Amino acid sequence: QVQLVESGGGLVQAGGSLRLSCAASGSIFGIAALGWYRQAPGKQRELVATITSGGTTNYADSVKGRFTISRGNAKNTVYLQMNSLKPEDTAVYYCKVERSYYPYVTWGQGTQVTVSS
């Protein structure tokens, strides 16, 4: 099994910054990709950013140029640096790990990000 611990959410004013962290433990071998997703009230969960084991990144158009995803040196930690935050970024942010072995997908418990105008 894979366990994920997220941290770094909170309340920030528009234009501010937050950094989310997600640390994976347990069966962390074979991690193919790490990612951040978010879900706002009444909306579906959506992709924010992903990073593969090879370092390739992908971002939602709505966060390009403002958010940066990166991995820690141990490769089992993923960060999301969020700058120039907007009220529409308010959501619960979830970390996701994709592995080449079962369990193929593991989600974190989520961390709340609230951006006030």
Side-chain angles (χ1 to χ4, degrees):
Q1 298 297 321
V2 178
Q3 294 80 41
L4 299 177
V5 177
E6 302 160 340
S7 61
L11 173 64
V12 65
Q13 289 188 332
S17 299
L18 283 174
R19 188 189 194 212
L20 305 183
S21 300
C22 175
S25 61
S27 300
I28 61 173
F29 59 90
I31 290 179
L34 300 159
W36 289 96
Y37 292 70
R38 67 187 181 187
Q39 187 167 17
K43 295 187 177 181
Q44 290 188 331
R45 191 172 298 187
E46 63 177 6
L47 179 147
V48 176
T50 60
I51 184 166
T52 68
S53 58
T56 300
T57 57
N58 182 47
Y59 295 92
D61 288 342
S62 60
V63 306
K64 283 181 180 177
R66 301 188 297 123
F67 291 9
T68 303
I69 190 170
S70 61
R71 292 178 306 179
N73 291 334
K75 307 301 183 187
N76 63 321
T77 302
V78 62
Y79 305 99
L80 185 68
Q81 178 66 42
M82 305 185 293
N83 299 328
S84 302
L85 282 161
K86 304 175 181 180
E88 50 263 44
D89 294 319
T90 295
V92 178
Y93 284 70
Y94 296 90
C95 176
K96 178 185 177 183
V97 170
E98 297 178 15
R99 292 192 340 139
S100 302
Y101 308 94
Y102 182 85
Y104 299 104
V105 175
T106 302
W107 290 93
Q109 80 283 1
T111 184
Q112 177 70 46
V113 171
T114 302
V115 184
S116 64
S117 58

